Amino acid sequence: MPHGSQWREIEPLGRSEAFVRGSSSKPDAIIQPTRFSTWTPVIHKAANQQLFDERVALVSHWFDLWTDKQRKRFIQSLLMRCSKSLLRFIQKWFAETIPVTSLDFTTVLPRFLSLYIFSFLNPRELCSISQVNWHWRFLSEQDCLWMPKCVKRGWFLPYTPPDHEYGAWKRHYVACACSLDYLTPTETAEMYGILEEPKKKLEGSEDKWNERLLRRLIQDRLAGQKKELLRSRPPWLSGKWNSHHRDRRSQAVLGRPHLSSTLLQLTVTPRSFKEGIHSSYRDKTLQINVTLSQLLREEIRSPGLWSPEVEKRQVLGSLRMLSNRKSLAGGGSYPVLPHTESARPAGNSSDQPRVILISSRIPAWEMVVDCVKIGVLPLLYEYSGTTPDSLLYRLEKVLRGRRARSIGIVAEGDSTEMDLVQGCKISSKNLPEAEVRGFWENMSGCVLSQEEGGRIDIFVPLAASEAGMELLCQLSALTAVCHSSPTGIATGSYQHIFSEWLRNDGDTAPPATYFNERKLQEWSRTAQLQEEVLRTVRKQMRPYFRQLQRDTCARMIGQLMFDSMSTTQMLQNQELAQTLTEGLIAMIREKQENPLGFLADFLKSQAGKSKWFKVEETFLTQGGGGIDPVKEGEVDEAGSLSPHSQPLQEHEETMQELIHPNRSPRGKFVEKRTQFARETLSSEQNYVQTLEIVKDIYWVRLRAALASNRAVLSMANIHIIFSDILLILELNRSLLRDLRERLSEWGPSQCLGDVFVKFSTRLTNYTNFFNNYSTILKTIDKCRNTSPGFRVFLTRHDRSAVTKMLSLQEMLLSLSSRFDEYVILLSALRLHTPIQHVDRHDLAAAIANLKRFRDYIQQLKVRHQRDQEIVEAQSSIAGSPILLEANRYLIQVQEVAHMSCLDGKICPSFRIYEHINDMNLFLFNDALVFTSRTVAHLPFERTAKMSLQFLAAVALSSLLIKDIPDSKYIQNAFALQGPKRQWICATETEEDKMTWLSLLASAIRAAIRET
């Protein structure tokens, strides 16, 4: 027995306890050896595992009860006891459980690789990364990084730095940049002996004056930079990259912002700098009073080289070049692929793949995609939302300029037509259409010719009928490519694809060419089972759906009769309701294109069976085509029919008699008309009550506080907020009195239209209120924020029982929705007014006037929203001109990357582009504004701060758009060319590019039409 081991009696497996405490006299007890403890058996593994689990649970329970400090000490003691293999296991476990999302590469890579990466940074960027942490600062100040930059400028250290000296070359670079001086041509000639031609006295004096001016300019700039240095931010806030400090020609910038303007002069020749002395004092700066229209006029080209007609033709030509094809969504434009069909040789089989098009409408399309063989390119497309042009574009994108050996199409269809995409069924009838014909002609260009073995396989049984055979022959004659299809001899769901194929000259059938046959047969059985299940479900649910359809139609007819008839008349006309219900059901099942004509024919057929249709038979069949709907344009502004539609108006009374067959002509509309007249009065009472609450609760008490020298608001603010409300209250009180007088003497011949006609001519107060509505809301918000007394006043009265749980702003908002209520109530009142009634014409005139004023309110609302968007955009752009002008609104804001082409003379597919900065493009209805975007991350802030700087603005009527094909160096790019400058931009995704270019093209066309 080993040292520390003991023997204990352990019960066999299956007992309730795995071990026994103390001696046991049971005959079936087994004595087992233990190690270091009487509770740790050595041989009995089940008991050992059970005991281990209990101890782990116990220690875990203790661990949960400990404090955080005790837990840390316990974990530290465990780690100190672990061997190296256990520590490696812990490290591996952490790496697998908690993957590293971000890593400092300088802590992983060797130092020489980190320094090699840093060597590509310019001085400014090196100074920026030195503020990350101390380790990065140590690496970024190494002499191996700064010595080449100093030597390139011709700055050499006058001594050899010792081994322990750190950052000598960087300090020398900064010192040389700060003490940078400029030698005039005269000083250069004196120092280096450059020969010059003798000059006149005037030229010599001019050079001396320019030298003095240059020295004064340098001194002023250095003094200003020193002042800015004293006011500079701490180093942890000054590492922001500003793109407008960058000079693309020099690429020499420093890590300190106050040195950038000085270092920019390093790459300027003496002559160019001398010529720019005077222009530096007259740099153009945007003033606050400069409008965007003035800037757009300054962008016009020189009159000698430019004319509006030429510019218009160029802009429209660029739009035609851009919109020659359609995007994936079928609506916007997309760039033409840079690849061509002859880009690759046709002899290589790897460059001639097979492509299979799979529609998402087929059942279990996931299994079909899984059946595709290796080497065949699957193209799954959405059945709904895809157009033939977009499908062709996706096919070209998959092929990448190559030509396929064969193309297969798996879609829904029968023996006469193929359902390719939603709204486009391919048949012999619609094949001559331009869109369908162009699709097949372009698709044939993606396949090898018939002599080279190219073919198109359609997995629809078109060869099983004469119409399908005619379609295949037409496609083959149109495209000069062989089209194959299954004959459909086999039966079953999708079993036709395993039957014999028409024009299959090869040894392998098309299903075996594109798919794994075993998997495809499994999919066919699954599809067949799915169709059988759906067929059974449809059969079982058909009675419920029919009953639901009948109940819905009956409810609609019942609601119509309830609104137009009394209870007695509805009971008497049950047969009429049943007949109309059956007519609606038959019309829905037949799916007629002319539903009114079908319904009239159905009612005519039921005329002999029902007594209600014998009298009015002539009206229902008027004109031989049923009841013709009123066309658009036949109704004037007042809501009545135009003169050329009077024949239909003559039958309106007959139609109403059909709906109300048991009513007398005098009393047929009295009930409903009285109901809507009372509803109009009740609604006006509630509206006037709301206005009186505004006056009594707010205006009266604020005036009382002002009169008692305890003013909550000033007299000017009270007048701004409530002056128009009081006038509107008096106007609606007058309207309410007139309505009460008319309702008190209400009868069949009483009128309300003249009251509202009179009211619609006195809406000047409403006009003033809506014109000042934004000012009123701003005044309320400003007084709430600046006046504690007014804030307490609103808190006490807003949303109380007296104010109907509404706030002051919500009650003011009810004025804008009131005119919608007027239009709805008067329209319902006119509907139930007889045609011969005197009030019908006045009601139509009042409705027309109120509709015009309602539209005016909507226009004010839209205009205010547009102006608010422009004001917010202008406040977010630094140095922006005045954007808010008449008839201008914001359409879209797009984030893009500003790119620069290093060499525009080489082939477009090999051009290399450089990212300059980020931009935001503001698209207005008449101009496009370019702004640079800078993102700064501030300490202790979760969100980044974005700032915009105004760059330029171009009128849409003079903006040219040019698409840039995608390549390995750039994606989703396009060029915008103005009269004086060109911008190369790139979006993040292709969808953003398509949407932006579509909006921009539409805005340019609209701007050209307006000009």
Side-chain angles (χ1 to χ4, degrees):
M1 179 184 300
H3 177 71
S5 300
Q6 300 178 4
W7 291 90
R8 294 297 298 169
E9 296 179 354
I10 305 297
E11 293 183 0
L13 293 175
R15 309 262 319 169
S16 59
E17 295 182 358
F19 51 89
V20 182
R21 301 177 183 270
S23 61
S24 175
S25 60
K26 297 180 181 180
D28 56 350
I30 302 175
I31 299 177
Q32 298 287 349
T34 60
R35 181 177 177 85
F36 296 116
S37 173
T38 58
W39 306 104
T40 307
V42 177
I43 301 176
H44 203 275
K45 295 183 179 180
N48 191 2
Q49 182 65 30
Q50 179 180 359
L51 186 60
F52 174 77
D53 295 338
E54 291 177 356
R55 291 182 176 178
V56 168
L58 181 60
V59 174
S60 301
H61 177 68
W62 291 346
F63 186 85
D64 295 337
L65 298 178
W66 290 340
T67 62
D68 186 70
K69 183 177 180 181
Q70 292 173 342
R71 294 174 182 175
K72 293 179 180 179
R73 291 177 58 187
F74 177 73
I75 294 174
Q76 182 179 6
S77 62
L78 286 180
L79 294 177
M80 294 296 294
R81 292 175 179 268
C82 293
S83 60
K84 292 184 177 181
S85 61
L86 292 177
L87 293 177
R88 282 195 295 269
F89 169 77
I90 295 174
Q91 182 181 6
K92 181 179 180 181
W93 181 86
F94 272 105
E96 294 176 354
T97 307
I98 309 176
V100 178
T101 56
S102 59
L103 182 65
D104 186 0
F105 67 91
T106 59
T107 60
V108 180
L109 297 178
R111 179 176 295 182
F112 74 93
L113 289 180
S114 301
L115 293 175
Y116 177 73
I117 294 174
F118 287 162
S119 65
F120 291 96
L121 302 180
N122 53 39
R124 182 184 181 89
E125 293 169 346
L126 286 174
C127 294
S128 297
I129 67 172
S130 65
Q131 301 172 4
V132 174
N133 51 43
W134 287 105
H135 181 60
W136 281 47
R137 179 176 181 180
F138 173 77
L139 294 178
S140 62
E141 294 183 355
Q142 293 295 319
D143 292 341
C144 61
L145 298 176
W146 290 94
M147 184 176 66
K149 303 182 186 302
C150 293
V151 173
K152 183 179 179 181
R153 300 296 179 190
W155 300 334
F156 299 93
L157 278 175
Y159 66 97
T160 301
D163 297 336
H164 301 288
E165 187 173 358
Y166 171 72
W169 284 97
K170 179 182 178 180
R171 290 193 297 272
H172 182 63
Y173 188 97
V174 175
C176 292
C178 293
S179 60
L180 181 66
D181 202 352
Y182 178 79
L183 294 179
T184 62
T186 304
E187 294 176 346
T188 306
E190 295 177 357
M191 181 175 298
Y192 299 104
I194 299 177
L195 297 178
E196 289 185 345
E197 297 180 358
K199 298 181 180 180
K200 298 180 180 179
K201 293 183 179 181
L202 294 177
E203 294 181 359
S205 60
E206 183 179 356
D207 289 343
K208 291 182 180 179
W209 184 82
N210 288 337
E211 291 175 7
R212 289 195 298 267
L213 187 60
L214 175 61
R215 292 184 182 275
R216 188 184 309 166
L217 175 62
I218 294 176
Q219 292 176 0
D220 294 343
R221 289 187 177 182
L222 291 176
Q225 290 163 5
K226 291 181 181 179
K227 293 180 181 179
E228 292 179 1
L229 181 62
L230 296 176
R231 298 192 301 267
S232 62
R233 303 170 66 189
W236 54 83
L237 296 181
S238 61
K240 183 175 65 174
W241 170 259
N242 294 325
S243 58
H244 60 275
H245 290 304
R246 177 176 180 174
D247 189 357
R248 291 171 50 195
R249 295 182 179 179
S250 64
Q251 297 293 331
V253 287
L254 288 179
R256 296 183 182 179
H258 66 280
L259 296 177
S260 59
S261 59
T262 305
L263 295 178
L264 287 178
Q265 312 300 332
L266 295 176
T267 59
V268 182
T269 60
R271 181 177 179 181
S272 62
F273 191 67
K274 182 177 70 174
E275 292 176 353
I277 293 175
H278 305 284
S279 62
S280 62
Y281 286 102
R282 56 176 185 269
D283 290 337
K284 292 183 179 180
T285 57
L286 292 175
Q287 303 296 331
I288 299 178
N289 56 354
V290 177
T291 62
L292 181 59
S293 301
Q294 297 176 357
L295 291 180
L296 297 179
R297 287 192 292 269
E298 294 177 1
E299 290 288 335
I300 298 178
R301 296 181 177 90
S302 176
L305 303 175
W306 168 84
S307 63
E309 292 78 11
V310 175
E311 185 181 47
K312 182 178 180 180
R313 287 197 298 268
Q314 292 179 355
V315 173
L316 294 178
S318 67
L319 294 180
R320 285 192 295 269
M321 292 284 293
L322 186 70
S323 60
N324 57 350
R325 303 179 73 185
K326 296 297 180 181
S327 66
L328 295 179
S333 304
Y334 68 90
V336 181
L337 290 176
H339 312 285
T340 60
E341 296 177 0
S342 59
R344 299 176 182 267
N348 190 2
S349 61
S350 61
D351 294 335
Q352 300 170 0
R354 300 184 186 273
V355 183
I356 183 70
L357 307 180
I358 303 174
S359 173
S360 63
R361 188 173 176 81
I362 62 174
W365 55 264
E366 299 90 345
M367 297 182 63
V368 180
V369 176
D370 186 60
C371 297
V372 178
K373 282 187 175 180
I374 299 176
V376 179
L377 302 179
L379 176 56
L380 177 67
Y381 66 91
E382 287 291 337
Y383 173 78
S384 59
T386 304
T387 62
D389 288 340
S390 62
L391 181 59
L392 182 63
Y393 165 68
R394 294 189 61 184
L395 177 61
E396 293 178 355
K397 193 172 183 180
V398 168
L399 290 175
R400 295 185 177 276
R402 300 170 292 181
R403 300 182 69 180
R405 281 186 290 173
S406 63
I407 297 178
I409 303 176
V410 182
E412 287 278 353
D414 52 21
S415 59
T416 59
E417 61 183 8
M418 177 178 60
D419 195 1
L420 184 64
V421 294
Q422 186 177 13
C424 181
K425 293 184 178 182
I426 310 299
S427 63
S428 57
K429 296 181 180 179
N430 64 352
L431 186 60
E433 296 180 3
E435 183 180 6
V436 180
R437 185 184 183 92
F439 169 75
W440 286 103
E441 289 177 349
N442 293 328
M443 178 179 284
S444 64
C446 301
V447 192
L448 295 177
S449 61
Q450 189 170 358
E451 292 77 9
E452 296 174 342
R455 58 188 297 119
I456 297 178
D457 301 318
I458 303 176
F459 287 72
V460 177
L462 296 176
S465 65
E466 295 182 358
M469 289 292 295
E470 182 182 358
L471 175 61
L472 292 175
C473 294
Q474 292 178 359
L475 290 176
S476 300
L478 175 65
T479 61
V481 177
C482 178
H483 287 70
S484 179
S485 172
T487 58
I489 296 176
T491 59
S493 178
Y494 293 95
Q495 291 291 330
H496 56 266
I497 62 178
F498 300 104
S499 63
E500 296 182 2
W501 280 66
L502 181 68
R503 299 174 184 174
N504 183 23
D505 301 333
D507 298 334
T508 307
T513 303
Y514 299 97
F515 301 103
N516 186 322
E517 286 191 290
R518 287 188 176 180
K519 293 184 178 180
L520 193 63
Q521 290 177 355
E522 188 66 27
W523 164 77
S524 177
R525 287 191 290 269
T526 304
Q528 181 178 1
L529 178 62
Q530 182 177 349
E531 287 295 329
E532 292 177 357
V533 172
L534 290 177
R535 192 182 303 112
T536 305
V537 172
R538 293 192 194 101
K539 183 177 180 180
Q540 294 179 356
M541 296 296 294
R542 187 176 294 114
Y544 299 99
F545 287 141
R546 288 182 177 178
Q547 185 62 34
L548 179 62
Q549 186 183 47
R550 181 176 295 275
D551 293 344
T552 304
C553 295
R555 269 192 227 104
M556 294 170 57
I557 299 299
Q559 184 66 35
L560 176 64
M561 297 179 66
F562 179 79
D563 295 337
S564 57
M565 296 181 180
S566 62
T567 306
T568 306
Q569 293 169 344
M570 285 191 297
L571 295 175
Q572 295 175 357
N573 295 295
Q574 292 182 1
E575 185 179 356
L576 173 64
Q578 185 178 0
T579 305
L580 290 175
T581 303
E582 293 176 356
L584 286 179
I585 295 174
M587 181 182 66
I588 295 174
R589 292 177 181 175
E590 293 293 335
K591 298 181 180 179
Q592 296 291 329
E593 296 181 358
N594 186 11
L596 292 179
F598 176 81
L599 185 59
D601 294 338
F602 179 83
L603 295 178
K604 179 182 178 181
S605 64
Q606 298 293 325
K609 303 177 182 180
S610 177
K611 62 180 181 179
W612 304 113
F613 297 96
K614 293 180 180 180
V615 179
E616 306 300 336
E617 179 178 351
T618 56
F619 166 71
L620 293 175
T621 59
Q622 182 74 23
I627 304 174
D628 296 329
V630 179
K631 298 181 179 179
E632 185 178 0
E634 294 181 351
V635 182
D636 57 8
E637 295 181 354
S640 60
L641 295 175
S642 57
H644 64 272
S645 62
Q646 290 301 321
L648 184 61
Q649 186 177 4
E650 294 175 359
H651 295 284
E652 185 176 354
E653 184 176 359
T654 310
M655 180 66 180
Q656 293 174 354
E657 290 178 1
L658 175 66
I659 299 177
H660 314 277
N662 294 329
R663 287 193 182 185
S664 60
R666 179 176 298 179
K668 58 182 178 179
F669 293 108
V670 173
E671 182 181 352
K672 283 292 181 180
R673 192 166 184 270
T674 304
Q675 179 182 353
F676 283 105
R678 292 174 180 174
E679 179 66 24
T680 304
L681 176 61
S682 175
S683 176
E684 187 65 22
Q685 289 176 349
N686 295 333
Y687 177 66
V688 172
Q689 185 180 4
T690 302
L691 297 180
E692 290 177 347
I693 290 174
V694 175
K695 176 184 177 181
D696 298 337
I697 303 301
Y698 294 95
W699 181 78
V700 172
R701 299 186 182 185
L702 290 175
R703 286 292 303 272
L706 183 64
S708 61
N709 294 328
R710 291 183 288 106
V712 178
L713 286 182
S714 62
M715 187 64 190
N717 291 331
I718 295 176
H719 180 75
I720 292 174
I721 298 173
F722 299 102
S723 59
D724 295 328
I725 302 294
L726 300 179
L727 297 176
I728 291 173
L729 176 59
E730 295 299 326
L731 176 63
N732 283 88
R733 281 177 175 174
S734 175
L735 175 62
L736 181 60
R737 286 193 297 268
D738 295 340
L739 292 178
R740 285 175 176 172
E741 291 177 1
R742 298 296 175 90
L743 266 296
S744 62
E745 302 174 356
W746 186 255
S749 60
Q750 191 61 268
C751 299
L752 289 182
D754 57 336
V755 176
F756 282 94
V757 170
K758 177 183 176 182
F759 172 75
S760 62
T761 59
R762 301 167 57 190
L763 300 178
T764 307
N765 297 327
Y766 276 97
T767 304
N768 297 333
F769 171 78
F770 288 115
N771 289 333
N772 301 326
Y773 185 63
S774 59
T775 305
I776 294 174
L777 295 182
K778 291 179 181 179
T779 303
I780 294 175
D781 294 337
K782 183 187 69 174
C783 295
R784 181 194 290 110
N785 297 330
T786 58
S787 176
F790 185 65
R791 184 164 55 248
V792 173
F793 178 83
L794 292 180
T795 305
R796 183 182 303 118
H797 296 94
D798 281 352
R799 302 187 183 280
S800 60
V802 182
T803 59
K804 300 181 179 181
M805 304 306 295
L806 298 175
S807 63
L808 177 60
Q809 291 89 336
E810 292 173 348
M811 285 186 284
L812 296 181
L813 186 62
S814 63
L815 276 73
S816 60
S817 61
R818 181 57 184 167
F819 286 88
D820 290 331
E821 299 175 2
Y822 282 145
V823 171
I824 294 173
L825 291 172
L826 293 184
S827 299
L829 187 62
R830 180 181 178 275
L831 179 64
H832 295 85
T833 300
I835 299 176
Q836 301 85 359
H837 202 285
V838 182
D839 196 25
R840 191 176 180 85
H841 177 73
D842 292 337
L843 287 174
I847 292 172
N849 295 336
L850 294 176
K851 280 184 177 180
R852 282 196 293 268
F853 194 79
R854 181 193 62 183
D855 297 339
Y856 168 73
I857 296 174
Q858 294 296 331
Q859 293 177 2
L860 286 180
K861 182 180 179 181
V862 173
R863 192 182 309 164
H864 174 70
Q865 292 177 351
R866 290 177 174 178
D867 294 346
Q868 189 67 24
E869 292 177 354
I870 295 178
V871 170
E872 292 177 358
Q874 181 174 348
S875 61
S876 63
I877 303 174
S880 172
I882 299 176
L883 302 178
L884 185 58
E885 295 183 70
N887 300 325
R888 177 177 294 141
Y889 56 89
L890 180 63
I891 300 177
Q892 181 76 8
V893 180
Q894 180 64 41
E895 295 183 355
V896 297
H898 187 194
M899 313 297 290
S900 172
C901 181
L902 301 181
D903 189 1
K905 298 180 180 180
I906 62 176
C907 180
S909 58
F910 295 102
R911 291 177 185 173
I912 299 177
Y913 295 85
E914 179 186 8
H915 178 242
I916 300 176
N917 59 357
D918 295 330
M919 293 199 309
N920 275 23
L921 305 181
F922 290 81
L923 177 59
F924 296 91
N925 62 321
D926 61 341
L928 180 63
V929 176
F930 297 82
T931 62
S932 62
R933 183 177 74 253
T934 306
V935 179
H937 298 272
L938 303 179
F940 311 109
E941 295 288 342
R942 294 182 180 272
T943 59
K945 180 180 179 182
M946 184 181 68
S947 58
L948 301 176
Q949 179 67 36
F950 178 81
L951 295 179
V954 180
L956 293 182
S957 58
S958 60
L959 183 65
L960 301 179
I961 308 176
K962 181 181 178 182
D963 180 55
I964 298 178
D966 292 347
S967 64
K968 59 187 281 188
Y969 302 106
I970 193 169
Q971 298 285 333
N972 309 323
F974 55 92
L976 302 175
Q977 184 176 356
K980 298 181 180 179
R981 189 179 172 185
Q982 181 182 11
W983 292 268
I984 299 177
C985 307
T987 58
E988 185 175 358
T989 61
E990 185 180 11
E991 183 180 358
D992 293 341
K993 175 185 174 181
M994 303 315 156
T995 305
W996 170 252
L997 290 183
S998 177
L999 289 174
L1000 186 58
S1002 302
I1004 291 176
R1005 292 190 183 95
I1008 292 177
R1009 286 195 299 267
E1010 291 179 359
T1011 55

